[in-house]
Amino acid sequence: MKKAAVITPLLLLLTACASNIPYEIQRDITDRLITINAARAQTERYEGQNVRWGGTIVKVENRENESWIEIVGKPLGSYGRPDESDRSLGRFLVRINGFVDPAIYRENRDLTVFGTISGKATGRIDQHPYTYPVVTAKTYYLWTEYYARDRRPYWYYHHPYYYPYYYPYYRYHFGLHRYYW
């Protein structure tokens, strides 16, 4: 009975720490690193190779049986999440079997994909012609959005000497006394 009392909380703790991020996304299990620009330049050479790339979604196009997502490639950080940098590694297209909802997979969301290079496609970025390497997705992960939040502590705003509430001029000329004093 005592063993069950000890083992049960440990099992619950371990399952709570489990991640829903696919293993291929968390770990780079490719044999060698293939960059987006290298795949752009020599697509035939790298065709059929596994890659793990990620970045920011630019556009989603749903076709009859598959979805194509255009992504601006970015360096991958911990667990395969694209960095929040302005550095672009180039663009690539992801081909996913089935329907992908463009309201969920919308512009400026981060996506990491693990799949094989399956060719190239030509398109335009504004007026500039561009050749995209195409990745057929085996697995992919849409990251949650970052929310900007104020990182000042709670007491910062409720301290009696907080700027707008301490000085009588601001309190009475802007009507703040009605709410706080």
Side-chain angles (χ1 to χ4, degrees):
M1 189 66 176
K2 289 183 182 181
K3 285 183 182 180
V6 172
I7 292 174
T8 304
L10 289 175
L11 288 175
L12 289 174
L13 181 64
L14 288 175
T15 57
C17 295
S19 173
N20 62 346
I21 302 171
Y23 177 76
E24 295 87 1
I25 300 298
Q26 289 182 29
R27 307 271 189 269
D28 189 6
I29 60 174
T30 57
D31 296 331
R32 58 187 153 149
L33 184 64
I34 301 171
T35 64
I36 297 169
N37 287 327
R40 248 184 94 206
Q42 301 175 346
T43 307
E44 296 80 21
R45 178 180 175 198
Y46 297 113
E47 207 162 324
Q49 298 286 328
N50 289 332
V51 292
R52 181 185 70 148
W53 291 342
T56 304
I57 297 174
V58 176
K59 182 172 62 173
V60 175
E61 179 184 335
N62 285 303
R63 298 183 180 171
E64 189 173 333
N65 295 323
E66 59 190 12
S67 298
W68 289 66
I69 302 175
E70 181 180 342
I71 296 179
V72 174
K74 293 191 175 179
L76 299 180
S78 63
Y79 291 101
R81 185 178 192 131
D83 288 342
E84 288 218 25
S85 66
D86 290 335
R87 195 173 124 204
S88 170
L89 302 177
R91 292 188 183 201
F92 63 97
L93 294 174
V94 176
R95 186 171 65 200
I96 297 173
N97 289 329
F99 175 76
V100 171
D101 193 346
I104 305 297
Y105 290 79
R106 65 184 176 276
E107 189 176 326
N108 294 326
R109 294 284 306 264
D110 289 337
L111 180 77
T112 303
V113 63
F114 174 78
T116 57
I117 297 175
S118 59
K120 61 183 173 181
T122 56
R124 291 191 167 278
I125 301 173
D126 293 331
Q127 297 298 318
H128 181 73
Y130 197 82
T131 303
Y132 299 92
V134 178
V135 176
T136 301
K138 292 181 180 176
T139 186
Y140 55 93
Y141 188 77
L142 183 68
W143 297 93
T144 56
E145 295 179 273
Y146 282 121
Y147 293 104
R149 82 177 180 100
D150 194 354
R151 299 207 177 266
R152 289 179 273 195
Y154 173 80
W155 56 263
Y156 181 83
Y157 295 105
H158 301 286
H159 195 272
Y161 298 113
Y162 179 58
Y163 170 69
Y165 309 117
Y166 177 66
Y167 301 104
Y169 174 81
Y170 294 107
R171 246 192 354 245
Y172 292 107
H173 287 80
F174 294 115
L176 297 175
H177 65 282
R178 285 179 269 161
Y179 303 109
Y180 293 100
W181 300 104

